[in-house]
Amino acid sequence: MLQMLPMLLLAIFTVNLLEQLGVIALISASLAPLLSLINLSEAAALPLVTKYIAGGTAYMGVTLDLVQQGQLTVAELNRLAGLATNPLDLLGVALFSAVTPGLKDVMKAAIFGALVGIIVRSVLHLLIY
């Protein structure tokens, strides 16, 4: 478990660096039209980028801050859950790789399965919320 600590720190550092360099703002502006198609504000881009780089804990921290600041609604949080509630992120893959020696043998199938799950769950969340 301690093997993943440097990856966690690196992931959080990377998200903060990207935000300071304006990359997150650029990604947010680029994703805004797609996000609006699913009734999400541009503010939803930051938690999504954070999730896929730094993992679920960092995602929740960013998301809760945005909700408290009024930039993200609870309904948007529910719609985001379909896209963000999964272990398919850099940190999740690093964690599973550290604790599961045979992961490389099943990586393609695992990523495919995760993507199918993300799509199904996202569609369900969009239909329900």
Side-chain angles (χ1 to χ4, degrees):
M1 199 63 125
L2 289 176
Q3 299 100 329
M4 69 168 263
L5 196 56
M7 183 63 182
L8 175 61
L9 295 174
L10 181 61
I12 292 171
F13 171 78
T14 301
V15 169
N16 286 328
L17 180 65
L18 292 174
E19 190 171 21
Q20 293 299 314
L21 293 174
V23 174
I24 300 291
L26 181 64
I27 292 171
S28 296
S30 300
L31 290 177
L34 293 173
L35 293 173
S36 69
L37 290 174
I38 57 174
N39 294 326
L40 291 172
S41 66
E42 189 176 322
L46 176 60
L48 286 175
V49 171
T50 301
K51 163 41 180 154
Y52 287 101
I53 293 175
T57 303
Y59 160 79
M60 283 308 298
V62 168
T63 303
L64 291 176
D65 283 345
L66 290 173
V67 169
Q68 288 175 348
Q69 295 168 10
Q71 295 181 28
L72 200 64
T73 67
V74 173
E76 288 177 312
L77 176 59
N78 284 325
R79 285 193 295 276
L80 277 173
L83 293 166
T85 306
N86 61 74
L88 187 61
D89 53 58
L90 291 178
L91 191 59
V93 170
L95 171 64
F96 288 130
S97 295
V99 298
T100 311
L103 183 65
K104 292 176 187 172
D105 300 334
V106 296
M107 184 67 78
K108 284 184 183 178
I111 289 174
F112 178 76
L115 291 173
V116 169
I118 291 168
I119 291 167
V120 169
R121 187 180 190 120
S122 296
V123 168
L124 291 173
H125 273 261
L126 293 174
L127 292 173
I128 294 170
Y129 299 105

